[in-house]
Amino acid sequence: MSGGGTAAAAPAVRRLALIGVGLIGSSLARAARARGAAEVIAGYDANPQHLARAAELGLLDEVAGSAAAVAEGADLVILCTPLGSYAAIGAEIAPRLRPGTVVSDVGSSKACVLRDLGAVLPDGVALVPAHPVAGTEQSGPDAGFAELFVNRWCILTPPEDAAPEPVALVERFWALLGSTVERMDPQHHDLVLAITSHVPHLIAYNIVATADDLESVTKSEVIKYSAGGFRDFTRIAASDPVMWRDVCLNNREAVLEMLARFTEDLTALQRAIRWGEGDRLLELFTRTRAIRRQIIDAGQETAAPDFGRR
Ligand SMILES: NC(=O)c1ccc[n+]([C@@H]2O[C@H](COP(=O)([O-])OP(=O)(O)OC[C@H]3O[C@@H](n4cnc5c(N)ncnc54)[C@H](O)[C@@H]3O)[C@@H](O)[C@H]2O)c1
Ligand SMILES: O=C(O)C(=O)C[C@]1(C(=O)O)C=C[C@@H](O)C=C1
């Protein structure tokens, strides 16, 4: 494990290519510049307005006209786009990558990255997938900020046979941005993140939609009188629709497994309420309150579930 919050002494990479300059891509550009983690930052985005805005904000040294063009000559290429775009981007950039290039990403699900990119990258190009466990419900280049990754986990899921040098380069890059870097098996990553991030988002999307349905059915004032708890859910439920569609479809098995567990536990909770089992309710609510306290005591940013290190 490595980590820290100090500025870089020497750049981790000479030429950094960012494909996608939305929330995460623009935060990477800002952080890499602020901490001197790359000598040259080049960017491309399929949305011309996002690309123009990133340039206007001064986040990029070079603006490219395609994913293939930005990847050409780069030392480190990072995909910062929704997971559903990876296969097409991989196929487009593969012929233009020179040997020695390291390809990485920031996607929220990891087994699919080896599936979609691993198959198309040429010999001599290393794939080191990464997931910064840091974000917000906002999207686009204006939403990014340089400190997003400081004291947050960044999980690397390199293939078992990955050479040490490219993995060390990506590890050093994220450490320079202030992240605490862990390595993990991709399947294990997807299972852990399904319960800590993906299912919580689905719960938020669902509760907000249910309340909205009730509003139209009963003409009640669900939204008007929404209390703090519901409002917290609406923040998460405002997260990017394309990103979350792709997370669900690309971590299907783990999400369905965790949703099934969640549904079972919810049914048990329903029974306890129906049968007036106050002791069960007290026991559950006391246990979960203690978990929240543990997370706060550990410092929210660095508290994490027991990630099985390999
Ligand atoms: N938002 C978060 O909290 C968060 C946190 C960690 C990781 N991630 C991951 O980061 C990635 C990007 O998410 P984001 O929050 O930055 O989303 P975003 O919508 O803010 O940015 C994505 C950008 O990619 C561009 N794009 C889409 N398809 C493209 C393509 N084919 N070629 C080039 N550009 C394309 C979009 O125009 C947009 O500017 C996702 O894979 C997501 O899973 C997100
Ligand atoms: O804080 C938020 O708004 C987030 O949703 C960030 C969050 C998360 O679930 O923790 C969302 C998806 C990412 O892959 C990583 C981080």
Side-chain angles (χ1 to χ4, degrees):
M1 181 168 44
S2 58
T6 51
V13 292
R14 194 186 60 78
R15 186 181 166 84
L16 171 67
L18 298 173
I19 302 179
V21 290
L23 168 70
I24 302 295
S26 74
S27 295
L28 267 181
R30 289 173 170 97
R33 167 115 49 232
R35 290 170 170 255
E39 274 177 45
V40 176
I41 304 171
Y44 167 71
D45 198 292
N47 180 332
Q49 286 166 346
H50 284 190
L51 190 57
R53 182 63 183 148
E56 192 177 78
L57 289 167
L59 307 181
L60 305 173
D61 299 307
E62 291 174 23
V63 172
S66 68
V70 81
E72 191 159 16
D75 300 291
L76 176 61
V77 178
I78 306 184
L79 273 68
C80 306
T81 56
L83 288 161
S85 64
Y86 281 24
I89 292 175
E92 184 191 331
I93 65 175
R96 305 278 282 273
L97 298 170
R98 59 173 175 70
T101 304
V102 179
V103 174
S104 187
D105 79 310
V106 295
S108 305
S109 178
K110 300 286 21 133
C112 61
V113 183
L114 295 181
R115 180 197 68 203
D116 289 350
L117 289 180
V120 296
L121 296 182
D123 287 347
V125 170
L127 176 61
V128 184
H131 178 202
V133 188
T136 74
E137 74 282 14
Q138 311 283 344
S139 307
D142 282 299
F145 54 101
E147 302 304 300
L148 177 61
F149 310 112
V150 175
N151 290 333
R152 308 302 295 261
W153 293 108
C154 182
I155 303 168
L156 307 189
T157 60
E160 296 226 325
D161 59 353
E165 296 82 6
V167 181
L169 179 132
V170 176
E171 199 164 30
R172 177 165 149 71
F173 177 78
W174 282 101
L176 286 176
L177 303 193
S179 296
T180 305
V181 184
E182 288 265 5
R183 290 188 204 182
M184 208 186 281
D185 168 77
Q187 276 77 21
H188 186 68
H189 167 280
D190 288 357
L191 212 51
V192 172
L193 270 291
I195 192 62
T196 58
S197 175
H198 305 170
V199 168
H201 277 76
L202 290 176
I203 293 167
Y205 281 125
N206 203 51
I207 188 77
V208 174
T210 303
D212 187 46
D213 288 346
L214 286 176
E215 173 93 9
S216 56
V217 170
T218 65
K219 297 272 178 277
S220 67
E221 293 179 299
V222 175
I223 305 293
K224 185 173 171 189
Y225 294 121
S226 65
F230 182 72
R231 278 173 191 267
D232 289 350
F233 278 116
T234 62
R235 183 188 79 78
I236 298 293
S239 298
D240 192 76
V242 174
M243 168 188 159
W244 283 101
R245 175 201 66 191
D246 287 3
V247 171
C248 292
L249 297 181
N250 284 282
N251 195 20
R252 191 190 315 246
E253 301 305 324
V255 166
L256 288 176
E257 166 69 22
M258 292 304 165
L259 268 181
R261 292 282 294 267
F262 174 80
T263 308
E264 269 176 35
D265 289 345
L266 197 60
T267 304
L269 187 56
Q270 215 173 346
R271 271 184 70 88
I273 296 169
R274 184 178 307 286
W275 297 105
E277 295 169 352
D279 288 350
R280 269 183 100 98
L281 298 179
L282 263 186
E283 189 268 327
L284 173 68
F285 300 161
T286 305
R287 181 155 61 93
T288 58
R289 180 179 237 191
I291 291 166
R292 167 74 179 174
R293 292 212 170 118
Q294 277 170 32
I295 290 172
I296 299 293
D297 288 349
Q300 198 167 9
E301 282 78 21
T302 48
D306 183 22
F307 291 148
R309 294 175 201 176
R310 62 177 199 197

